[in-house]
Short mmCIF file of all heavy atoms in Angstrom, two decimals:
data_model
loop_
_atom_site.label_atom_id
_atom_site.label_comp_id
_atom_site.label_asym_id
_atom_site.label_seq_id
_atom_site.Cartn_x
_atom_site.Cartn_y
_atom_site.Cartn_z
N GLU J 1298 1.77 -23.10 20.54
CA GLU J 1298 2.15 -24.35 19.91
C GLU J 1298 1.42 -24.59 18.60
O GLU J 1298 1.57 -25.63 17.97
CB GLU J 1298 1.88 -25.52 20.87
CG GLU J 1298 2.70 -25.43 22.15
CD GLU J 1298 2.41 -26.58 23.09
OE1 GLU J 1298 1.54 -27.41 22.75
OE2 GLU J 1298 3.04 -26.65 24.14
N ALA J 1299 0.59 -23.64 18.16
CA ALA J 1299 -0.14 -23.79 16.91
C ALA J 1299 0.83 -23.86 15.74
O ALA J 1299 1.79 -23.09 15.69
CB ALA J 1299 -1.10 -22.62 16.71
N PRO J 1300 0.65 -24.79 14.80
CA PRO J 1300 1.54 -24.85 13.64
C PRO J 1300 1.41 -23.61 12.78
O PRO J 1300 0.31 -23.14 12.51
CB PRO J 1300 1.03 -26.10 12.88
CG PRO J 1300 -0.37 -26.29 13.35
CD PRO J 1300 -0.42 -25.79 14.75
N ALA J 1301 2.54 -23.03 12.40
CA ALA J 1301 2.52 -21.78 11.63
C ALA J 1301 2.08 -22.03 10.20
O ALA J 1301 2.52 -22.99 9.57
CB ALA J 1301 3.91 -21.14 11.66
N GLU J 1302 1.21 -21.19 9.70
CA GLU J 1302 0.77 -21.24 8.31
C GLU J 1302 0.95 -19.86 7.69
O GLU J 1302 0.60 -18.85 8.30
CB GLU J 1302 -0.68 -21.69 8.22
CG GLU J 1302 -1.22 -21.72 6.81
CD GLU J 1302 -1.97 -23.01 6.51
OE1 GLU J 1302 -2.22 -23.78 7.44
OE2 GLU J 1302 -2.30 -23.22 5.34
N ALA J 1303 1.49 -19.82 6.49
CA ALA J 1303 1.78 -18.54 5.84
C ALA J 1303 0.49 -17.89 5.33
O ALA J 1303 -0.34 -18.55 4.72
CB ALA J 1303 2.76 -18.74 4.70
N PHE J 1304 0.38 -16.57 5.58
CA PHE J 1304 -0.76 -15.79 5.13
C PHE J 1304 -0.28 -14.46 4.54
O PHE J 1304 0.77 -13.94 4.92
CB PHE J 1304 -1.70 -15.46 6.30
CG PHE J 1304 -2.68 -16.52 6.67
CD1 PHE J 1304 -2.28 -17.64 7.38
CD2 PHE J 1304 -4.01 -16.42 6.31
CE1 PHE J 1304 -3.18 -18.62 7.73
CE2 PHE J 1304 -4.93 -17.40 6.66
CZ PHE J 1304 -4.52 -18.50 7.37
N VAL J 1305 -1.09 -13.92 3.63
CA VAL J 1305 -0.94 -12.53 3.20
C VAL J 1305 -1.82 -11.68 4.11
O VAL J 1305 -2.97 -12.02 4.37
CB VAL J 1305 -1.37 -12.36 1.73
CG1 VAL J 1305 -1.39 -10.88 1.35
CG2 VAL J 1305 -0.46 -13.14 0.81
N LEU J 1306 -1.28 -10.58 4.60
CA LEU J 1306 -2.02 -9.67 5.48
C LEU J 1306 -2.62 -8.57 4.61
O LEU J 1306 -1.92 -7.68 4.13
CB LEU J 1306 -1.07 -9.10 6.54
CG LEU J 1306 -1.67 -8.19 7.59
CD1 LEU J 1306 -2.75 -8.91 8.38
CD2 LEU J 1306 -0.57 -7.71 8.54
N ASP J 1307 -3.93 -8.62 4.40
CA ASP J 1307 -4.63 -7.66 3.55
C ASP J 1307 -5.23 -6.56 4.41
O ASP J 1307 -6.09 -6.81 5.26
CB ASP J 1307 -5.75 -8.38 2.77
CG ASP J 1307 -6.35 -7.52 1.67
OD1 ASP J 1307 -6.43 -6.29 1.86
OD2 ASP J 1307 -6.73 -8.07 0.63
N VAL J 1308 -4.75 -5.32 4.22
CA VAL J 1308 -5.20 -4.19 5.04
C VAL J 1308 -5.97 -3.16 4.21
O VAL J 1308 -6.15 -2.02 4.63
CB VAL J 1308 -4.00 -3.52 5.75
CG1 VAL J 1308 -3.38 -4.48 6.75
CG2 VAL J 1308 -2.94 -3.06 4.75
N GLU J 1309 -6.46 -3.57 3.05
CA GLU J 1309 -7.15 -2.63 2.16
C GLU J 1309 -8.42 -2.07 2.78
O GLU J 1309 -8.82 -0.94 2.49
CB GLU J 1309 -7.48 -3.34 0.83
CG GLU J 1309 -8.11 -2.43 -0.20
CD GLU J 1309 -8.29 -3.10 -1.56
OE1 GLU J 1309 -7.79 -4.24 -1.72
OE2 GLU J 1309 -8.93 -2.50 -2.43
N ALA J 1310 -9.08 -2.84 3.65
CA ALA J 1310 -10.35 -2.38 4.23
C ALA J 1310 -10.17 -1.41 5.39
O ALA J 1310 -11.17 -0.85 5.89
CB ALA J 1310 -11.16 -3.60 4.70
N LEU J 1311 -8.94 -1.17 5.82
CA LEU J 1311 -8.71 -0.29 6.96
C LEU J 1311 -8.53 1.16 6.50
O LEU J 1311 -7.91 1.41 5.47
CB LEU J 1311 -7.47 -0.73 7.74
CG LEU J 1311 -7.49 -2.15 8.30
CD1 LEU J 1311 -6.21 -2.43 9.07
CD2 LEU J 1311 -8.71 -2.36 9.19
N PRO J 1312 -9.03 2.14 7.27
CA PRO J 1312 -8.93 3.55 6.84
C PRO J 1312 -7.50 4.08 6.90
O PRO J 1312 -7.11 4.89 6.06
CB PRO J 1312 -9.85 4.28 7.83
CG PRO J 1312 -9.94 3.38 9.02
CD PRO J 1312 -9.84 1.99 8.49
N ASN J 1313 -6.71 3.66 7.90
CA ASN J 1313 -5.34 4.17 8.06
C ASN J 1313 -4.39 3.00 8.37
O ASN J 1313 -3.90 2.88 9.50
CB ASN J 1313 -5.28 5.21 9.20
CG ASN J 1313 -6.16 6.41 8.92
OD1 ASN J 1313 -5.94 7.15 7.96
ND2 ASN J 1313 -7.15 6.61 9.78
N PRO J 1314 -4.14 2.15 7.39
CA PRO J 1314 -3.32 0.96 7.66
C PRO J 1314 -1.90 1.27 8.09
O PRO J 1314 -1.29 0.49 8.82
CB PRO J 1314 -3.34 0.22 6.32
CG PRO J 1314 -3.68 1.25 5.30
CD PRO J 1314 -4.59 2.21 5.99
N ALA J 1315 -1.36 2.42 7.69
CA ALA J 1315 0.01 2.78 8.08
C ALA J 1315 0.12 3.02 9.57
O ALA J 1315 1.23 2.96 10.13
CB ALA J 1315 0.47 4.01 7.30
N ASP J 1316 -1.00 3.28 10.25
CA ASP J 1316 -0.99 3.55 11.68
C ASP J 1316 -1.13 2.29 12.53
O ASP J 1316 -1.10 2.36 13.76
CB ASP J 1316 -2.13 4.51 12.05
CG ASP J 1316 -1.95 5.89 11.42
OD1 ASP J 1316 -0.80 6.23 11.10
OD2 ASP J 1316 -2.96 6.59 11.24
N LEU J 1317 -1.28 1.13 11.89
CA LEU J 1317 -1.39 -0.13 12.63
C LEU J 1317 -0.14 -0.37 13.47
O LEU J 1317 0.99 -0.09 13.02
CB LEU J 1317 -1.57 -1.29 11.67
CG LEU J 1317 -2.98 -1.77 11.35
CD1 LEU J 1317 -2.92 -2.88 10.32
CD2 LEU J 1317 -3.70 -2.26 12.59
N ASP J 1318 -0.31 -0.93 14.64
CA ASP J 1318 0.82 -1.31 15.49
C ASP J 1318 1.29 -2.71 15.05
O ASP J 1318 0.93 -3.72 15.65
CB ASP J 1318 0.39 -1.31 16.96
CG ASP J 1318 1.55 -1.59 17.90
OD1 ASP J 1318 2.66 -1.90 17.41
OD2 ASP J 1318 1.35 -1.51 19.12
N PHE J 1319 2.09 -2.75 13.96
CA PHE J 1319 2.53 -4.03 13.42
C PHE J 1319 3.42 -4.78 14.42
O PHE J 1319 3.45 -6.01 14.42
CB PHE J 1319 3.27 -3.83 12.10
CG PHE J 1319 2.37 -3.48 10.96
CD1 PHE J 1319 2.09 -2.16 10.64
CD2 PHE J 1319 1.79 -4.48 10.19
CE1 PHE J 1319 1.25 -1.84 9.59
CE2 PHE J 1319 0.95 -4.17 9.13
CZ PHE J 1319 0.68 -2.84 8.83
N GLY J 1320 4.15 -4.04 15.25
CA GLY J 1320 4.99 -4.69 16.25
C GLY J 1320 4.19 -5.53 17.23
O GLY J 1320 4.69 -6.52 17.77
N ARG J 1321 2.95 -5.15 17.47
CA ARG J 1321 2.05 -5.94 18.32
C ARG J 1321 1.21 -6.90 17.50
O ARG J 1321 0.92 -8.02 17.93
CB ARG J 1321 1.15 -4.99 19.11
CG ARG J 1321 0.18 -5.70 20.04
CD ARG J 1321 -0.77 -4.72 20.71
NE ARG J 1321 -1.84 -5.41 21.41
CZ ARG J 1321 -2.99 -4.87 21.74
NH1 ARG J 1321 -3.22 -3.58 21.45
NH2 ARG J 1321 -3.92 -5.56 22.38
N LEU J 1322 0.79 -6.46 16.31
CA LEU J 1322 -0.11 -7.26 15.48
C LEU J 1322 0.53 -8.57 15.04
O LEU J 1322 -0.09 -9.64 15.13
CB LEU J 1322 -0.54 -6.45 14.26
CG LEU J 1322 -1.34 -7.21 13.18
CD1 LEU J 1322 -2.66 -7.72 13.73
CD2 LEU J 1322 -1.57 -6.33 11.96
N LEU J 1323 1.76 -8.54 14.54
CA LEU J 1323 2.37 -9.74 13.98
C LEU J 1323 2.54 -10.86 15.01
O LEU J 1323 2.19 -12.01 14.74
CB LEU J 1323 3.69 -9.38 13.31
CG LEU J 1323 3.57 -8.43 12.09
CD1 LEU J 1323 4.94 -8.11 11.52
CD2 LEU J 1323 2.66 -9.01 11.02
N PRO J 1324 3.05 -10.57 16.23
CA PRO J 1324 3.10 -11.63 17.25
C PRO J 1324 1.71 -12.12 17.65
O PRO J 1324 1.52 -13.30 17.94
CB PRO J 1324 3.82 -10.95 18.42
CG PRO J 1324 4.58 -9.83 17.82
CD PRO J 1324 3.73 -9.34 16.68
N LEU J 1325 0.73 -11.19 17.67
CA LEU J 1325 -0.63 -11.56 18.01
C LEU J 1325 -1.17 -12.61 17.03
O LEU J 1325 -1.81 -13.59 17.41
CB LEU J 1325 -1.49 -10.29 17.99
CG LEU J 1325 -2.97 -10.36 18.39
CD1 LEU J 1325 -3.40 -9.02 18.97
CD2 LEU J 1325 -3.85 -10.69 17.20
N LEU J 1326 -0.88 -12.42 15.74
CA LEU J 1326 -1.28 -13.39 14.72
C LEU J 1326 -0.48 -14.68 14.85
O LEU J 1326 -1.03 -15.78 14.74
CB LEU J 1326 -1.08 -12.79 13.33
CG LEU J 1326 -1.96 -11.59 12.96
CD1 LEU J 1326 -1.50 -11.00 11.63
CD2 LEU J 1326 -3.43 -11.99 12.89
N SER J 1327 0.80 -14.54 15.09
CA SER J 1327 1.68 -15.71 15.15
C SER J 1327 1.26 -16.67 16.25
O SER J 1327 1.35 -17.89 16.09
CB SER J 1327 3.12 -15.26 15.37
OG SER J 1327 4.00 -16.36 15.40
N ARG J 1328 0.77 -16.15 17.37
CA ARG J 1328 0.35 -17.01 18.48
C ARG J 1328 -0.86 -17.87 18.09
O ARG J 1328 -1.15 -18.86 18.76
CB ARG J 1328 0.01 -16.17 19.71
CG ARG J 1328 1.24 -15.58 20.40
CD ARG J 1328 0.89 -15.06 21.78
NE ARG J 1328 -0.05 -13.95 21.76
CZ ARG J 1328 0.32 -12.68 21.65
NH1 ARG J 1328 1.60 -12.35 21.53
NH2 ARG J 1328 -0.59 -11.72 21.66
#
């Protein structure tokens, strides 16, 4: 029920950002 706020997702600090599980990450953030 948290109100949604728009963010930029910055992955520059990660060694292999292309390997992130975005399908799991995005809902995890949205909650």
Side-chain angles (χ1 to χ4, degrees):
E1298 298 179 358
E1302 178 133 10
F1304 276 77
V1305 172
L1306 183 59
D1307 191 326
V1308 295
E1309 184 174 352
L1311 301 181
N1313 299 297
D1316 295 337
L1317 266 177
D1318 184 354
F1319 286 91
R1321 181 185 170 201
L1322 172 63
L1323 296 178
L1325 184 151
L1326 294 172
S1327 182
R1328 287 194 296 272

